[in-house]
Amino acid sequence: MKFVTMLLLGTALLFGDTKTLLPNDTTQLIVVRAENWQSAEATLELYEKRGGKWRQNGDTLQIIIGKNGMGWGRGLHTVPSNAAIIKKEGDGKAPAGIFELKNGFGYEAFAIRYPYKVYTETTHCVDDMKSKRYNQIVESTQTTKDYSSFEPMKFPKNYYKYGVVVDHNPTNIPGEGSCIFMHIKKPDRIPTVGCTSMSEEEMKELLKWLDPQKHPLLIQA
């Protein structure tokens, strides 16, 4: 655990025993690091545990996150009691912390090991804080619509052509942040409103690398 301990210390994510933060069956990590809390520029590195040691897989990527940097999110970690920057709905910040990943997604079928869903124009991610479906992805044609605000999961731009759902705010607490993904970046390095973005090829390679048997986690700080 030496690498993980140093990593968590360096990103202010070490709260006691690191084993309580990283499950024993986690042998894949996606590590996103920004220079400061306000930066929309970040790096992404993939790590895999082999022979009891963490080793980087591939190159360090230059990626884009929230337009207003990061704020502590809700995930597997404990938010520091003195945390000054907490992620909220609509703040334009990517969540900092340790997060599980849900399914991969896209506009068309993609043969990978990781759970993957094809979304359409009628698939909605609900960001309406008054809705019972807040922070959930629903098929609008198959549910009673109690929301007025949502993100379509397929639209003319390619940003969601490939992506991964980040399990931020897993208990769907209203106002604590919704619809957090890793997805394809906008042109000209335009920041997101809270997601983590990269090129289409980088996103596809990430999806192909993910192995559900290795319980991958995302660390952002």
Side-chain angles (χ1 to χ4, degrees), residues 62-128:
Q62 302 298 317
I63 64 167
I64 301 295
I65 56 172
K67 63 181 180 180
N68 294 321
M70 287 193 196
W72 283 101
R74 290 183 173 271
L76 299 180
H77 56 284
T78 300
V79 176
S81 59
N82 62 346
I85 306 175
I86 307 292
K87 175 162 181 59
K88 299 295 181 182
E89 183 68 40
D91 62 4
K93 295 182 181 294
I98 302 176
F99 306 95
E100 293 189 305
L101 301 174
K102 291 186 175 181
N103 57 282
F105 64 86
Y107 295 171
E108 56 189 25
F110 192 39
I112 55 174
R113 293 170 295 184
Y114 208 71
Y116 181 88
K117 295 181 181 180
V118 175
Y119 290 146
T120 70
E121 291 87 346
T122 59
T123 310
H124 298 166
C125 186
V126 180
D127 56 15
D128 185 339

Side-chain angles (χ1 to χ4, degrees), residues 197-212:
S197 64
M198 63 205 74
S199 73
E200 180 173 333
E201 284 307 308
E202 290 166 347
M203 189 70 250
K204 290 172 69 176
E205 288 302 312
L206 172 58
L207 283 167
K208 288 188 282 188
W209 176 76
L210 291 173
D211 185 343

Side-chain angles (χ1 to χ4, degrees), residues 9-107:
L9 276 169
T11 56
L13 286 172
L14 182 61
F15 307 114
D17 183 4
T18 58
K19 292 181 180 179
T20 65
L21 297 177
L22 296 179
N24 291 330
D25 60 349
T26 290
T27 56
Q28 282 188 333
L29 290 175
I30 304 169
V31 179
V32 172
R33 285 181 273 196
E35 202 169 291
N36 54 58
W37 288 100
Q38 292 75 38
S39 178
E41 303 272 346
T43 61
L44 182 149
E45 296 171 340
L46 304 179
Y47 289 91
E48 194 155 354
K49 195 174 187 180
R50 298 189 295 271
K53 295 183 179 181
W54 290 96
R55 304 180 187 278
Q56 185 172 347
N57 183 86
D59 299 327
T60 299
L61 306 181
Q62 302 298 317
I63 64 167
I64 301 295
I65 56 172
K67 63 181 180 180
N68 294 321
M70 287 193 196
W72 283 101
R74 290 183 173 271
L76 299 180
H77 56 284
T78 300
V79 176
S81 59
N82 62 346
I85 306 175
I86 307 292
K87 175 162 181 59
K88 299 295 181 182
E89 183 68 40
D91 62 4
K93 295 182 181 294
I98 302 176
F99 306 95
E100 293 189 305
L101 301 174
K102 291 186 175 181
N103 57 282
F105 64 86
Y107 295 171

Side-chain angles (χ1 to χ4, degrees), residues 118-143:
V118 175
Y119 290 146
T120 70
E121 291 87 346
T122 59
T123 310
H124 298 166
C125 186
V126 180
D127 56 15
D128 185 339
M129 292 183 285
K130 296 180 181 179
S131 170
K132 293 180 179 179
R133 295 166 178 79
Y134 177 73
N135 195 33
Q136 299 173 51
I137 297 175
V138 300
E139 178 48 59
S140 62
T141 61
Q142 300 174 11
T143 188

